[in-house]
Amino acid sequence: MELPLDYMTLRTIWWLLVGVLLAGFALTDGFDMGVTALLPFVARTDQERRAVINTVSATWEGNQVWFILGGGAIFAAWPFVYAASFSGFYLAMFLVLMAMILRPVGFKYRSKRPGKAWRRNWDWALFTGGFVPALVFGVAVGNVLQGVSFSLDSDLRISYHAPFLGGLWALFTPFTLLCGLTSVAMLVLHGAGWLALKLERGEARDRAMNYGFVAGGLLIVLFAIGYVFVRFSGIGFAVLGDVATNGPSNPTRDEVVPMAGAWLANYGKHPWMLVAPVLGFVGPVLAMIGLKLRQHIVAFGGSSLAVLGIIGTVGFSMFPIILPSNADIHSSLLVWNASSSQLTLFIMLLVTVVFLPLILFYTSWVYKVLFGRIGTGQVASNPDMY
């Protein structure tokens, strides 16, 4: 049966769709992480902390849908990528999941007892649930940009090599730590933008906006340092020779080699891609202006553009490489050599055309229903709030 879309087109569409799903996760669950990472610092009284918690506690479960969809899409569209990355980053993923579990548990249990120590400990648990995933996600992206030490044999079995076998701490290098801190600054700015929108006027909102302003400045500096690092440190990968974009998937058929500055090559070939790094700088500036002028919609819009710009920068810089190997030039996974079959991608696309608009609709409807600011008086009088 001849399908209406060729293999290359379907692979490109799914590369874009996975990017949309991961961006949706960073935009929605990203401010959840930012808010809980800011909790111990912006809210000093118990009522203030309950108000901050209730800005995200009603919607965090819906936001997690994007995380599940993103992981599921990678599993179905690029099974080799899923296998190599999730196995290789097993300890990091375990740490992220453990930290993320602290959030719903913290929301549920924090206000069940009046003790100060009890609530203070849960506040720090919620901080961990926001800070740790934000840091580890960034560190993981940094490791991917540096290249992962894995290889595939003729039967496509995966082997990992040093230093990747060095455990969790082997994932932390100066560059990956820079990426992790950039991720934290990005999501703290996004969380501050959300608190500016959702909290009623008061000291907690003022503190959130001040922290957000600092995070925005830090994000600009870290993103600029990241560019300098990529430009001059020698990291980068390039595909050698012609690639069969319509050929059957075989992760070992192409040659990908380390090449200094190669992560910047796409911007010379396709200048329109520069919109992503430009947004990575303009977004934080816009958010800082919004926070300073108390224009809350501008602040949140700016932080959202920053998230989209920085994620887009990573995706555009690497295309068509998804997971480069620095241990074997024949083992890197590309958009063109590691996907599922053409029929699988087409069926997945049909399902996505139906269900993605439904998810967007109910997510928008939930936010419309829950629209409005939350203050300390509200949490004191409403027994349904955490």
Side-chain angles (χ1 to χ4, degrees), residues 15 237-239 256 263 315 318-324 332-335:
W15 177 79
F237 289 84
V239 184
V256 176
W263 287 147
M318 294 185 63
F319 185 85
I321 300 171
I322 301 177
L323 190 65
S332 292
L333 306 178
L334 313 180
V335 172

Side-chain angles (χ1 to χ4, degrees), residues 17-332:
L17 279 175
V18 168
V20 168
L21 295 174
L22 295 179
F25 168 63
L27 280 175
T28 55
D29 206 43
F31 64 70
D32 292 347
M33 295 182 209
V35 166
T36 51
L38 282 169
L39 174 65
F41 310 104
V42 302
R44 294 177 182 170
T45 67
D46 185 63
Q47 298 294 350
E48 286 180 346
R49 294 189 173 182
R50 289 184 63 199
V52 169
I53 288 170
N54 280 280
T55 62
V56 295
S57 58
T59 53
W60 76 270
E61 289 167 299
N63 297 339
Q64 295 275 292
V65 168
W66 295 96
F67 181 54
I68 297 168
L69 286 176
I74 294 173
F75 170 74
W78 281 287
F80 291 110
V81 175
Y82 183 90
S85 59
F86 278 66
S87 298
F89 291 108
Y90 179 80
L91 288 176
M93 291 300 297
F94 182 77
L95 181 63
V96 166
L97 291 176
M98 289 297 100
M100 291 176 79
I101 287 172
L102 289 175
R103 271 191 291 163
V105 178
F107 292 152
K108 296 287 184 184
Y109 285 96
R110 180 192 179 278
S111 297
K112 296 295 185 186
R113 295 178 61 181
K116 288 185 179 179
W118 171 268
R119 296 191 175 197
R120 184 179 61 248
N121 290 337
W122 280 117
D123 291 338
W124 285 106
L126 288 168
F127 163 81
T128 304
F131 178 82
V132 170
L135 179 70
V136 175
F137 281 136
V139 168
V141 170
N143 275 276
V144 171
L145 287 168
Q146 280 191 162
V148 179
S149 299
F150 74 98
S151 61
L152 301 170
D153 64 17
S154 57
D155 294 321
L156 302 183
R157 290 175 297 194
I158 304 171
S159 298
Y160 297 95
H161 310 278
F164 206 59
L165 284 176
L168 186 63
W169 293 114
L171 301 179
F172 289 84
T173 67
F175 177 67
T176 62
L177 192 56
L178 171 68
C179 293
L181 293 176
T182 303
S183 172
V184 170
M186 178 181 77
L187 297 184
V188 166
L189 171 64
H190 199 37
W194 179 251
L195 289 176
L197 269 183
K198 288 292 291 182
L199 277 180
E200 284 185 356
R201 183 179 298 175
E203 292 182 0
R205 190 179 73 176
D206 291 342
R207 290 188 206 105
M209 295 169 76
N210 291 336
Y211 278 109
F213 191 84
V214 173
L218 190 61
L219 177 59
I220 293 170
V221 172
L222 291 171
F223 195 46
I225 295 174
Y227 164 75
V228 172
F229 207 107
V230 170
R231 176 70 178 81
F232 297 104
S233 69
I235 69 169
F237 289 84
V239 184
L240 294 181
D242 296 328
V243 178
T245 56
N246 264 315
S249 288
N250 180 357
T252 62
R253 76 174 181 217
D254 297 305
E255 292 184 349
V256 176
V257 295
M259 186 176 293
W263 287 147
L264 303 176
N266 278 341
Y267 298 106
K269 299 174 186 173
H270 312 287
W272 63 268
M273 288 185 175
L274 285 169
V275 68
V278 168
L279 284 179
F281 285 109
V282 171
V285 172
L286 197 61
M288 292 170 70
I289 292 172
L291 291 170
K292 199 69 176 177
L293 300 178
R294 299 307 193 246
Q295 297 296 318
H296 306 138
I297 294 177
V298 174
F300 187 67
S303 68
S304 300
L305 290 177
V307 171
L308 293 175
I310 292 171
I311 291 177
T313 299
V314 175
F316 288 152
S317 298
M318 294 185 63
F319 185 85
I321 300 171
I322 301 177
L323 190 65
S325 167
N326 56 23
D328 178 17
I329 63 171
H330 291 288
S331 295
S332 292

